[in-house]
Amino acid sequence: MAVPNYSALPFYRTNADLCYIQDNIPVPDSKENLPYAYKTYEDVDEPMFDPSIHLDLEMPDHVRTLPHYKQAAKGKDGNLAYSKPFQFLSSKGLSVIRKIVERETPNVEPSRGSRIGIRGLYYSSPWVRDLHSCAQVLDHVSNIVGERVVITHNLPSAPHINSSVPGAKGAAEFWHWTSIGFVGNFLISETQGLDGGDLEIIKKEKHAGMKALVEGTLGADDIEKLSYEAPGKMVLAQGSEILHHVTPIKSLTKRTVVVFSFAPANVFKPDKMVLQTYIQEDKPLGNKSAVFEFFRGRAWVCGNALMGMTKMIPYTENGDILAARLRSVAEELTRCADLVAEKTNDAVGFFDESKGAHEENYKDREH
């Protein structure tokens, strides 16, 4: 079942007093048999990523913070709800990523809503890999969010790209919340001629918002429309805590949004990763790499947690307290092992607007 409150899991509850900053998860040493082929600049026609050329980082005019969506200059202690759009890529950076996305776009069926998911660019594009993990990008995002962040532990989602299917009916993306702590979204397609495809959020606690959707009690004032304003501008959001969707696209113009994914750098703060979401996103691409990536991510988190304990825990002879710390890691590993073995299911679901109902099943789901 879905985790209703990650902070209540023993791993996070027991160690809430600790802070240990992890690095970005590395790519695997072994590149053999990876479904998303690992490539270097020698393998592809891409310029070397250069932040002085490809970035144009600006601060947003303001942000909104949780839980009451109050306006602020930036987030504090990770309370960001969402930011106003801010310039992220330069014109040259936008040109490069457009060509890479065009090259990497597969011919597959939509996984959810009327869009396809383009994944694995952290492996297949050295330029994208260097962009997403760039120290300047992480510093800038951390400043706006209000806490230190790292890239997601699920590397095929670094980034995930949503590209609409022209002529497809229904919502471009159903009402849902994301399966990682923070996301940074930016359009790379032009907005001229685009009818629809608006990003909307519900200004309620996410479970309350889902309940209102299902019961048909959502008020017009509960929904806010967000604009990306222009290609290359980013909207940062704590997507794991905000119920959001993308309205139907009525024109035949393709809408392509790049979604960068970030987790708290403090290993003892929840990253809110959901295995089943990634299994379903990878399925149209013919692989189940989500199981491997989730395994790596949880091993990375728990390994860093143990390292942090060796450095952060002060001297004590209270064995019960020390045992509780170790057991919390063991319980997290057991929880995640059951998910990897698919003995349990952590699907969070979404609101299918075509049915007016909360669903957990993507198309052709195995379980």
Side-chain angles (χ1 to χ4, degrees), residues 192-228:
Q192 292 92 336
L194 182 63
D195 184 5
D198 297 314
L199 174 63
E200 294 182 331
I201 68 164
I202 293 177
K203 296 183 292 183
K204 285 178 171 286
E205 189 277 330
K206 61 185 180 184
H207 294 103
M210 185 64 78
K211 185 173 185 289
L213 279 171
V214 172
E215 295 178 352
T217 59
L218 195 69
D221 291 342
D222 295 326
I223 298 177
E224 182 168 343
K225 184 177 295 185
L226 304 182
S227 169
Y228 289 111

Side-chain angles (χ1 to χ4, degrees), residues 171 173-176 198-201 243-248 353:
E173 178 67 272
F174 294 138
W175 286 108
H176 70 291
D198 297 314
L199 174 63
E200 294 182 331
I201 68 164
L243 195 53
H244 56 284
H245 83 152
V246 178
T247 61
E353 294 157 65

Side-chain angles (χ1 to χ4, degrees), residues 110-116 162 168-178 185 197-202 210 213 239 242-249 255 277 281 348-363:
S111 60
R112 183 177 64 196
S114 60
R115 54 79 174 168
I116 65 169
N162 291 324
K169 305 297 183 182
E173 178 67 272
F174 294 138
W175 286 108
H176 70 291
W177 53 82
T178 59
N185 298 6
D198 297 314
L199 174 63
E200 294 182 331
I201 68 164
I202 293 177
M210 185 64 78
L213 279 171
I242 299 175
L243 195 53
H244 56 284
H245 83 152
V246 178
T247 61
I249 298 174
R255 173 188 183 273
T277 298
E281 291 291 0
V348 295
F350 53 90
F351 184 77
D352 186 338
E353 294 157 65
S354 65
K355 299 178 181 178
H358 180 266
E359 299 280 342
E360 286 190 359
N361 297 333
Y362 283 34
K363 291 185 177 182

Side-chain angles (χ1 to χ4, degrees), residues 128-143:
V128 169
R129 185 164 59 245
D130 289 347
L131 167 64
H132 204 327
S133 60
C134 173
Q136 288 177 235
V137 169
L138 293 173
D139 287 346
H140 195 69
V141 171
S142 297
N143 187 30

